[in-house]
Amino acid sequence: MKVFCGRANPTTGSVEWLEEDEHYDYHQEIARSSYADMLHDKDRNIKYYQGIRAAVSRVKDRGQKALVLDIGTGTGLLSMMAVTAGADFCYAIEVFKPMADAAVKIVEKNGFSDKIKIINKHSTEVTMGPDGDMPCRANILITELFDTELIGEGALPSYEHAHRHLVQENCEAVPHRATVYAQLVESRRMWSWNKLFPIPVHTSCGEQVIVPPLELERCPGAPSVYDIQLNQVSSSDFTVLSDVLPMFSVDFSKQVSSSAACHSRQFEPLASGRAQVVLSWWDIEMDPEGKIKCSMAPFWAHSDPEELQWRDHWMQCVYFLPQEEPVVQGSSIYLVAHHDDYCVWYSLQRTSPEKDRRVYPPRPVCDCQAHLLWNRPRFGEINDQDRTDQYIQALRTVLKPDSVCLCVSDGSLLSLLAHHLGAEQVFTVESSAASHRLMKKISLLLGEPFFTTSLLPWHNLYFWYVRTAMDQHLGPGAVVMPQTASLHTVVVEFRDLWRIRSPCGDCEGFDVHIMDDMIKRALDFRESKEAEPHPLWEYPCRCLSEPQQILTFDFRQPVPPHLIHAEGSIELRRPGRSHGAVLWMEYHLTPDSTVSTGLLKSAEDKGDCCWNPHCKQAVYFFTTADPRAPLGSPQTVSYTVDFHPHTGDITMDFSLSDTLDDGQ
């Protein structure tokens, strides 16, 4: 059956109604899921297996049957581990129907259908009794309900309900315990992801400073955690102000509460400075003794940095204090971790929270609107003084004393820059719908361009469509900045990111080809012909080819009515595994000034890439049988790329050619 789905086109700005398969949302969910990443997480899998074996053994040693409740079973992997370890029966709960259907097939293929029952429900809907989903309570609770923040996927309410209704008192739990850690730091780079810095502008009247509004300065910021690959942040980008502090633990073998709580730790700062950011992560202990541990710690806090497991489904957390606070080396202070049922936040206190019995601060909520408009990378982009200076220099070359400017970008400071640099009049709008209110012909149309609805680099071509709609308002000789844009690509080998799209096949001795096939079908539904956004500064890779320009867009002219087509080939210059093509946009403000959303400089001899840290690049993963296998023979990558002006879509196809047999 087909259904009509409405979607806002981020490139053209129009609302479109498309005919989609009724299961399209399922396909999207599966295609963009982290299932493959989890199955490739060998450290996670081994530690779970060890913990499950130990838990089953403890139950058996007590002369009891081992009855397992597996919440969020996914592929059924943990349940199959439990049966292999000697469990008598497993009740495996999976709320996502396509995943539950796949789990049934995977369990059957591996020969465990008589010992594992897949229940397609939310765990809070599972019934107990002779006619229910489970005839009796389980005595082993296995879960994998965690996200980067530990509790963001509803782990606490799920555990709370399970202990009350689904498992025996003092049951065995895998994992047995989780501990959240925090470290206080000062970091101008990370603080720039949360606050707007003063921006100096050199004008004919001397230096002017754009000062952030007071309400933005006072705003505690957005409540959401910023989850990143903390191992990719240079140690020179922050100053450590505290030791690693264990903030709180959750014992999953006992009754868990989802009620709001706070936990404080007293410490003496290691150095004097400005407390701004809390870095946080967690570990899980699979057994009561804590001998089987899986840690999310970054390399500097990890017990064995050489054996650090790369993973993308669990990363590390960056939290911003409501305001920066001065701390003095050796002067005792309290770091307080607060949490409700789904999120965590932090505060600093000078006195013991227990002693003064003060009311704890509520969950921070943005009241300045900026944190709702701009995401973390956008804050960093606006605070990038080198980038701002590039726009200032370009504006100086096109501005005249009588310039009437219109700035079309979301939450942009270009209008303020144009004003300080002497434009006669400056208008700024967030969409082209406001253009009819303009009273004068526009002599300078400005854009970064940046729009909050953009996901892929070329979605900011919305600026071109606004320029086209504004055509009648542009005066004779009007200047458009950027003048042009271009789409670029380079073929890369990822150090780790390839894992999220790599088939697993066999996982700890269990056949999960059915899961691989399901992901492939979901990708083939549409996503295999699409690129996906990733902040590549967090995911190291090597360029195997030189960057290549494949499409150009002339903003000085309206959007053309005809297709813009490009096809060609990319020669691979360096040996390696061709995992995919990275695409990005470059905006040519003037003939002498270009802003790149992708590569910031040419790759070094070994091909190491330096990516714009404020933007997400688009990754088109190549469909190969095994991304881990060396691809020595392919020497070129062929591509076809089309820009469809009526929809604003860019479609593409890349293919590897293996014409040589030089034995590499």
Side-chain angles (χ1 to χ4, degrees):
M1 185 176 77
K2 299 288 186 179
V3 294
F4 280 104
C5 298
R7 70 159 186 166
N9 187 308
T11 309
T12 65
S14 62
V15 176
E16 301 171 345
W17 288 91
L18 303 175
E19 189 180 59
E20 300 282 12
D21 185 275
E22 63 177 324
H23 299 305
Y24 176 60
D25 285 344
Y26 285 170
H27 288 299
Q28 283 190 312
E29 180 76 16
I30 295 166
R32 297 293 180 241
S33 69
S34 297
Y35 290 122
D37 181 31
M38 289 186 283
L39 293 175
H40 282 293
D41 189 342
K42 194 165 185 64
D43 178 60
R44 161 194 176 271
N45 299 338
I46 290 175
K47 299 295 175 55
Y48 260 100
Y49 211 166
Q50 291 173 344
I52 289 169
R53 287 195 190 101
V56 171
S57 293
R58 289 193 296 272
V59 170
K60 293 287 190 179
D61 289 346
R62 296 196 292 264
Q64 301 174 357
K65 283 189 174 183
L67 302 178
V68 174
L69 173 63
D70 175 8
I71 301 179
T73 193
T75 61
L77 176 66
L78 302 185
S79 287
M80 292 189 293
M81 288 179 176
V83 172
T84 304
D88 293 279
F89 202 84
C90 293
Y91 300 94
I93 301 171
E94 176 56 52
V95 68
F96 186 42
K97 189 176 189 310
M99 196 70 249
D101 293 342
V104 170
K105 296 175 183 177
I106 292 171
V107 166
E108 181 180 4
K109 186 178 180 71
N110 285 273
F112 296 110
S113 294
D114 59 331
K115 293 289 187 75
I116 298 174
K117 178 182 179 181
I118 305 297
I119 303 171
N120 180 208
K121 289 184 177 181
H122 193 281
S123 63
T124 58
E125 299 171 344
V126 171
T127 57
M128 186 71 60
D131 298 322
D133 299 308
M134 297 173 60
C136 61
R137 290 176 178 249
N139 54 13
I140 300 176
L141 175 58
I142 300 173
T143 64
E144 209 281 52
L145 300 171
F146 315 117
D147 66 349
T148 294
E149 200 173 16
L150 183 70
I151 65 173
E153 292 184 358
L156 295 182
S158 296
Y159 271 109
E160 185 175 44
H161 177 271
H163 276 286
R164 286 179 177 169
H165 302 285
L166 303 177
V167 296
Q168 299 175 15
E169 187 176 359
N170 296 320
C171 69
E172 300 290 343
V174 182
H176 180 84
R177 182 188 301 108
T179 302
V180 173
Y181 300 87
Q183 188 169 34
L184 188 67
V185 303
E186 175 182 345
S187 172
R188 178 178 174 83
R189 180 186 180 189
M190 286 186 259
W191 196 238
S192 77
W193 300 337
N194 184 58
K195 295 289 185 179
L196 189 62
F197 297 163
I199 300 172
V201 183
H202 296 281
T203 72
S204 57
C205 300
E207 183 173 281
Q208 305 288 320
V209 179
I210 299 175
V211 180
L214 189 59
E215 58 266 30
L216 196 153
E217 279 295 301
R218 293 175 174 172
C219 178
S224 56
V225 64
Y226 188 22
D227 52 338
I228 66 171
Q229 294 282 358
L230 201 52
N231 289 313
Q232 298 307 313
V233 177
S234 170
S235 57
S236 63
D237 282 331
F238 60 92
T239 300
V240 170
L241 299 180
S242 79
D243 290 319
V244 176
L245 305 172
M247 296 306 299
F248 64 92
S249 295
V250 183
D251 186 337
F252 298 125
S253 69
K254 300 177 181 178
Q255 181 63 56
V256 172
S257 173
S258 62
S259 300
C262 67
H263 312 267
S264 65
R265 289 290 178 269
Q266 185 179 16
F267 70 97
E268 293 184 358
L270 301 176
S272 298
R274 294 173 297 166
Q276 299 168 325
V277 173
V278 175
L279 308 180
S280 183
W281 56 89
W282 48 263
D283 64 30
I284 45 178
E285 296 170 355
M286 301 298 184
D287 61 323
E289 297 77 26
K291 296 179 180 178
I292 308 169
K293 183 180 292 187
C294 187
S295 176
M296 306 308 119
F299 68 87
W300 67 84
H302 202 280
S303 59
D304 189 0
E306 295 300 319
E307 296 298 321
L308 197 68
Q309 170 74 50
W310 183 89
R311 48 175 66 94
D312 205 42
H313 58 106
W314 295 330
M315 294 185 279
Q316 294 80 36
C317 301
V318 174
Y319 295 95
F320 303 96
L321 293 176
Q323 298 295 332
E324 64 178 12
E325 298 188 35
V327 296
V328 178
Q329 182 178 5
S331 182
S332 184
I333 198 170
Y334 293 84
L335 181 63
V336 186
H338 312 258
H339 73 80
D340 54 22
D341 50 350
Y342 279 91
C343 75
V344 180
W345 64 97
Y346 286 86
S347 65
L348 276 182
Q349 296 185 19
R350 302 289 172 179
T351 57
S352 170
E354 287 76 17
K355 286 183 179 180
D356 63 17
R357 297 182 181 179
R358 60 181 287 182
V359 177
Y360 294 115
R363 177 181 175 185
V365 176
C366 172
D367 53 23
C368 74
Q369 307 303 311
H371 298 90
L372 304 179
L373 175 65
W374 299 332
N375 59 20
R376 304 301 190 188
R378 179 59 172 168
F379 266 94
E381 189 172 50
I382 291 175
N383 283 320
D384 186 336
Q385 189 62 46
D386 291 339
R387 179 179 181 274
T388 299
D389 289 343
Q390 195 170 356
Y391 278 96
I392 290 173
Q393 187 60 37
L395 278 169
R396 284 199 179 103
T397 65
V398 297
L399 273 176
K400 299 177 181 178
D402 60 349
S403 289
V404 177
C405 304
L406 173 65
C407 175
V408 182
S409 280
D410 287 344
S412 176
L413 301 182
L414 280 182
S415 55
L416 291 175
L417 297 178
H419 166 73
H420 281 287
L421 292 173
E424 179 182 307
Q425 280 189 296
V426 180
F427 298 91
T428 180
V429 295
E430 300 291 316
S431 71
S432 60
S435 63
H436 69 275
R437 296 201 300 264
L438 302 177
M439 302 304 294
K440 288 189 176 183
K441 288 289 186 179
I442 301 301
S443 58
L444 177 57
L445 179 64
L446 302 174
E448 298 188 33
F450 170 84
F451 301 99
T452 56
T453 54
S454 299
L455 296 176
L456 293 167
W458 46 87
H459 287 166
N460 284 319
L461 288 174
Y462 176 61
F463 176 77
W464 201 9
Y465 288 84
V466 173
R467 177 258 177 268
T468 302
M470 290 290 303
D471 199 46
Q472 61 180 322
H473 297 284
L474 299 180
V479 174
V480 179
M481 193 186 91
Q483 295 180 356
T484 61
S486 50
L487 179 66
H488 297 250
T489 189
V490 68
V491 177
V492 301
E493 174 187 45
F494 287 110
R495 191 172 73 190
D496 298 296
L497 189 62
W498 59 268
R499 301 174 194 272
I500 70 172
R501 292 292 167 262
S502 173
C504 187
D506 178 277
C507 184
E508 304 308 318
F510 302 100
D511 186 343
V512 293
H513 279 92
I514 290 171
M515 182 67 201
D516 295 336
D517 294 340
M518 184 173 73
I519 293 175
K520 184 178 185 303
R521 286 194 302 272
L523 287 167
D524 288 344
F525 185 80
R526 177 177 294 170
E527 275 75 4
S528 65
K529 299 301 181 185
E530 294 182 353
E532 54 190 76
H534 291 281
L536 291 188
W537 73 270
E538 296 185 51
Y539 303 102
C541 60
R542 293 175 54 245
C543 293
L544 301 185
S545 71
E546 296 304 315
Q548 189 161 320
Q549 178 176 308
I550 51 178
L551 286 178
T552 58
F553 312 93
D554 190 349
F555 295 158
R556 293 166 296 185
Q557 303 297 325
V559 176
H562 54 80
L563 182 83
I564 300 179
H565 174 79
E567 60 181 87
S569 60
I570 304 169
E571 184 178 353
L572 303 188
R573 301 281 187 177
R574 300 178 182 89
R577 302 173 177 90
S578 303
H579 290 143
V582 177
L583 300 101
W584 69 94
M585 296 290 290
E586 294 189 0
Y587 297 101
H588 311 287
L589 309 182
T590 66
D592 301 319
S593 181
T594 296
V595 173
S596 172
T597 66
L599 282 177
L600 296 182
K601 59 183 180 181
S602 299
E604 300 174 357
D605 291 341
K606 294 182 179 180
D608 294 335
C609 305
C610 178
W611 299 103
N612 186 323
H614 311 307
C615 304
K616 289 185 178 182
Q617 293 74 40
V619 180
Y620 183 104
F621 286 100
F622 297 153
T623 53
T624 58
D626 185 358
R628 293 163 290 190
L631 297 176
S633 58
Q635 298 299 302
T636 60
V637 174
S638 301
Y639 66 84
T640 58
V641 179
D642 294 307
F643 171 70
H644 305 267
H646 294 297
T647 63
D649 291 335
I650 290 183
T651 57
M652 63 194 68
D653 188 30
F654 290 81
S655 59
L656 294 163
S657 57
D658 47 0
T659 55
L660 297 184
D661 56 353
D662 55 8
Q664 293 181 352

